[in-house]
Amino acid sequence: DDSKKDPVEELQIEDTEEEVQECETFTTMDSLMFRLVVDAVTEQEGSLNTTKIGDVIEELISLNSERKRSLFHKGFLHSIDNQPFELNFSGANEERRCWYMTGFIVGLARLNRHSEISSMIKANRELNRRIISNTEIDCGRILLQSIPQILFDLGEHSILITLVNHQLNRLSSPSIIKLTNFLYSSGTSLLRINSYQEANGYFDSVHSIIEQKSDLFDDTFKAHNRRKQGQTLQHKGQFAEAKEILTHLIKEKELGDKPNAQADIGLIEGNFRSLRNILPSGKSDNSPKIISSLRKGRFHFEESIKAHGDRAINAHFCMGVLELLSNTKDNQKACDHLSFSYGGMMK
């Protein structure tokens, strides 16, 4: 019966062990202890039981009071062995609690008990803040490598961005590249569902990383992220900031979407937040207002079409709607523009 299957059997050991091994503070002993905990909980042949492993961890903690990272293993064991989360243990102080909570969260992450991570963060906001901001110990770094996707799925966007801001420089270059790509794709996902404020935070974070680690990223990626920043600001109604970004971008050879970036500038001139806003409302005749606004951006639509032809999909659409709503005698122009736009959208 799968419904009764022990979740520990699904423990994602490989990913977790890699995070432990990449932690500069951890030693061979920590890697061994981590493996012993997992073997005990999953009842591998020849392994100690969880009670004895708990005793080993407590002895390790007592033998060296300065070895605070040993509390990671206590938290990890309690988590994957379904023991209670307990911060008021003997000898507890802030740093030891940070290590314990980090181990507990990593265990929950590996068991896919994501809702419990959210509850734990909310119940321990101050301790979580200290884990995130502390760069003297490796707790924040471990979480940055362990739970970005989980924080995103939980909607804890501000916590994730803050974690990135504090811990980024402690990652290796390959890890920074991997994380930055994740942040970019996360922002793109939010943009698609109209979560503009949250998306803007991700694209701003990517831009900040690129500014700090410019040598890790090519110019095309940099341009694409700036394009997303411009789009997000436009959707938020921050037209001046969006126009400044896009005006600079259309001069950059690395940007592959120049036709639509220039069309966006035209939309901004008319105070349109997106392409869908140029369509007339079914509830009232707002065509005159749309016509007036589209005319303000006409220069940019025509320039985009002139420079890029059939690739100027959005510019053709804007001009098609403008010609159609203007009730000009030459409806063929509207048909041609809309046909070019439809053809491009279908490719």
Side-chain angles (χ1 to χ4, degrees), residues 157-158 160-162 164-165 183-184 186-188 190 195-209 225 228-229 232-233 236:
H157 305 300
S158 62
L160 175 52
I161 297 301
T162 303
V164 171
N165 291 342
L183 296 173
Y184 178 83
S186 298
T188 302
L190 290 167
S195 296
Y196 306 126
Q197 185 67 39
E198 292 81 2
N200 189 58
Y202 282 90
F203 296 131
D204 283 352
S205 182
V206 171
H207 182 67
S208 176
I209 294 171
N225 187 68
K228 294 294 186 184
Q229 280 186 294
T232 307
L233 291 169
K236 291 173 63 183

Side-chain angles (χ1 to χ4, degrees), residues 322-334:
L322 177 58
E323 294 287 350
L324 192 64
L325 296 181
S326 297
N327 292 315
T328 59
K329 294 181 180 180
D330 188 3
N331 287 328
Q332 188 60 46
K333 284 186 178 180

Side-chain angles (χ1 to χ4, degrees), residues 275-294:
L275 198 62
R276 67 170 64 94
N277 295 141
I278 73 172
L279 298 174
S281 170
K283 297 181 180 179
S284 61
D285 185 12
N286 57 346
S287 298
K289 182 178 179 181
I290 292 175
I291 292 170
S292 175
S293 296
L294 282 174

Side-chain angles (χ1 to χ4, degrees), residues 216-232:
L216 298 180
F217 306 96
D218 60 34
D219 291 337
T220 299
F221 180 74
K222 296 173 187 177
H224 280 224
N225 187 68
R226 289 296 277 168
R227 168 91 166 98
K228 294 294 186 184
Q229 280 186 294
Q231 283 181 295
T232 307

